[in-house]
Amino acid sequence: MLALVLAKAMLCIGLLSLLACESPLPTPYPSAMSFSREQGSPRLLLQAQPQLSIEQQLDWAVGKSFATQAWVSGPASTTARDGLGPLFNANSCVGCHQYNGQGQLPEHGPGLILRIAPSGAQHQAYGEQLQDHALTGTLAEGQITWQTVSALLANRQGIVAPLNHRRYYIKNGQYGDTSELAYSARLAPALIGMGLLDGISDEDILRHSDPDDRDGNGISGRAIQRWDAASQRFRPGKFGWKASQSSLKQQIALAFSQDIGIRSPIYPAANCPANTPNCETQHEHEISAKLLDAVTNYIANLAIPSPRHNADFEKGFSVFQQLGCAACHIPATQTHIRASYPQPANSSTLARSETIYPFSDLLLHDMGPALADEHNTDNTPATEWRTAPLWGLGMRSIDPDHTRLLHDGRANSIHAAIFWHGGEAQLSRQQYLQLDSNSQHFLLNFLKAL
């Protein structure tokens, strides 16, 4: 509690001066969204959604401080943020989600983690995730290395596109032979829009689920039920590449546990090295329920970029629909706006709904063998992936030298990402390859405008 009060006091003056400089935003296309800020706004991914009150922005800024500042090993004089490790992948949320954006490929920095399994089961020493950093005096579990695998795919006109991707491995593994392990890479996603996804009702997700393809359209997206610690029941998964978590708060708690080595009331077990099974500190939890709520509130209320309604937007959207992309990347859905986490019991905020445009049904779909994991993970088949939301896609693909799309960042352009689609998206991909150059141009410009 003291940490929250002190953080508010330190941030108040600077935040009020920042608020005074902000100007009204133009109405975004296709509908006014209270969470949107215009693309091109300075440090867009670091900004709060624009309709928070001053008091709410102060609460938001407190959560920001615990998401962005480094956690340290305990015991330390900074008791509010000590307890790092002993094994971890980064020492803060933004260590992997730099500037709240995507993770980096290993040669450029943190942000890609390696899931591990021998024939699909949890490894008794490594666990389910490689931690490639450790506190002084403790050895990291190993380092990430890879081999590049090349493939080619030609479209109807005979134009060949290289489809290089990586097979990841562990080098310098601390627990013996790793040759029998299977590996699955996961790129940290951008953090924007997660509070809006959290507000989509379970009923809306289930309404789009069609695992048996009863309508015969070739799309059999399914909702997967995940345990929700807060409600003590199973709910449809929404977060993660495999829809492995049903709430934003639980997803953040998992990241604290696996990526930073920080225990919480949701994940209270210490992430100990295999040769030091009892590494618990004197703290019951390194992050309290109140501070976990503060970080959740910060991430939930990040602004999302508004689409750029350029001359090709409507033409490209028409092509998007004609190809059947909207069958999985559903453009619009309803969300319940939450101004703060946890939601006060007497608040009527949840009654306020808004149409948002994430371009996702949040369901699992079979994406074919080319995108498949090496093994089943998160109780899902290796070929199944949650439909990735497309908002902010333009910002993520603006720099061709640093574009990292799909679950392991293998695609360096939107065009390449479409080439990788298979399974339920096979027909849409084939139709995309048969488009004339003008139609492809309209489609890609539409996606870059999101």
Side-chain angles (χ1 to χ4, degrees):
M1 184 64 184
L2 178 60
L4 289 171
V5 174
L6 291 175
K8 280 191 179 183
M10 290 187 292
L11 291 163
C12 184
I13 295 176
L15 183 59
L16 289 175
S17 63
L18 175 64
L19 291 173
C21 298
E22 294 186 350
S23 57
L25 295 169
T27 302
Y29 180 89
S31 174
M33 291 183 287
S34 65
F35 273 67
S36 297
R37 289 189 184 273
E38 184 179 14
Q39 291 195 43
S41 300
R43 300 173 297 153
L44 173 57
L45 298 184
L46 297 173
Q47 294 189 44
Q49 60 102 343
Q51 293 198 7
L52 294 182
S53 67
I54 290 179
E55 182 179 0
Q56 289 166 344
Q57 291 214 30
L58 289 172
D59 289 334
W60 178 85
V62 170
K64 177 179 180 179
S65 71
F66 286 95
T68 59
Q69 295 185 29
W71 290 75
V72 299
S73 60
S77 58
T78 310
T79 56
R81 54 170 53 87
D82 71 346
L84 174 69
L87 297 172
F88 56 96
N89 297 105
N91 62 4
S92 69
C93 300
V94 296
C96 287
H97 306 271
Q98 190 174 27
Y99 305 113
N100 293 331
Q102 289 181 292
Q104 301 291 323
L105 295 177
E107 64 269 32
H108 299 300
L112 182 136
I113 59 98
L114 205 59
R115 301 292 300 277
I116 312 166
S119 303
Q122 181 170 320
H123 191 274
Q124 61 181 0
Y126 289 103
E128 61 183 24
Q129 178 174 319
L130 175 72
Q131 276 84 34
D132 55 359
H133 289 75
L135 299 178
T136 302
T138 302
L139 293 174
E141 293 180 322
Q143 304 302 316
I144 297 176
T145 189
W146 63 89
Q147 288 181 339
T148 299
V149 180
S150 298
L152 297 174
L153 181 67
N155 66 10
R156 190 175 184 181
Q157 290 75 34
I159 300 173
V160 175
L163 289 179
N164 296 335
H165 71 288
R166 296 173 172 183
R167 288 189 180 138
Y168 285 95
Y169 306 91
I170 296 175
K171 69 176 180 179
N172 302 324
Q174 292 301 313
Y175 307 122
D177 182 20
T178 60
S179 61
E180 297 301 317
L181 300 181
Y183 305 93
S184 305
R186 299 283 189 272
L187 188 71
L191 296 179
I192 58 171
M194 291 193 174
L196 298 178
L197 299 181
D198 205 29
I200 298 173
S201 71
D202 296 351
E203 291 73 21
D204 278 349
I205 294 176
L206 294 171
R207 181 165 54 86
H208 294 297
S209 180
D210 185 19
D212 300 320
D213 192 21
R214 292 186 301 273
D215 58 9
N217 67 350
I219 305 300
S220 54
R222 69 183 184 96
I224 186 165
Q225 298 294 319
R226 306 295 193 182
W227 180 253
D228 180 60
S231 61
Q232 290 290 295
R233 60 185 176 91
F234 285 95
R235 297 178 53 217
K238 298 179 184 178
F239 297 97
W241 291 103
K242 293 282 190 176
S244 58
Q245 300 296 325
S246 59
S247 74
L248 176 57
K249 182 177 178 179
Q250 193 158 303
Q251 174 68 28
I252 293 170
L254 177 65
F256 267 111
S257 172
Q258 289 287 309
D259 303 340
I260 311 179
I262 297 293
R263 297 178 298 165
S264 70
I266 297 178
Y267 290 97
N271 194 5
C272 298
N275 54 6
T276 313
N278 299 310
C279 65
E280 287 83 357
T281 69
Q282 69 273 26
H283 300 294
E284 182 181 358
H285 306 124
E286 285 91 15
I287 185 168
S288 67
K290 187 175 289 294
L291 291 183
L292 182 61
D293 284 334
V295 175
T296 304
N297 183 53
Y298 165 67
I299 293 174
N301 283 290
L302 290 170
I304 60 172
S306 58
R308 287 176 168 158
H309 189 192
N310 54 37
D312 295 338
F313 196 96
E314 292 184 8
K315 294 178 182 177
F317 182 47
S318 177
V319 176
F320 183 83
Q321 292 177 303
Q322 290 168 11
L323 294 181
C325 304
C328 300
H329 292 281
I330 294 174
T333 190
Q334 292 295 115
T335 190
H336 299 288
I337 301 297
R338 304 185 186 193
S340 63
Y341 286 74
Q343 192 67 32
N346 60 352
S347 172
S348 61
T349 308
L350 281 177
R352 178 175 150 236
S353 64
E354 182 174 317
T355 302
I356 57 172
Y357 301 86
F359 288 84
S360 174
D361 58 10
L362 300 181
L363 300 175
L364 292 171
H365 293 271
D366 184 343
M367 296 301 294
L371 280 178
D373 257 347
E374 291 190 16
H375 58 89
N376 298 342
T377 57
D378 299 297
N379 296 315
T380 62
T383 58
E384 288 191 354
W385 300 95
R386 184 201 66 160
T387 306
L390 298 183
W391 49 20
L393 180 59
M395 295 186 66
R396 288 186 277 130
S397 57
I398 194 170
D399 182 354
D401 294 328
H402 295 93
T403 298
R404 307 172 300 283
L405 303 179
L406 302 176
H407 66 278
D408 55 3
R410 67 176 63 185
N412 61 3
S413 68
I414 297 173
H415 179 72
I418 296 173
F419 264 68
W420 277 107
H421 280 53
E424 295 173 44
Q426 178 77 14
L427 179 59
S428 294
R429 185 190 71 179
Q430 290 302 112
Q431 291 176 338
Y432 169 76
L433 297 179
Q434 294 170 13
L435 289 175
D436 59 72
S437 58
N438 282 337
S439 296
Q440 277 198 8
H441 168 83
F442 291 140
L443 175 65
L444 294 176
N445 276 6
F446 159 72
L447 295 171
K448 290 175 184 177
L450 295 177

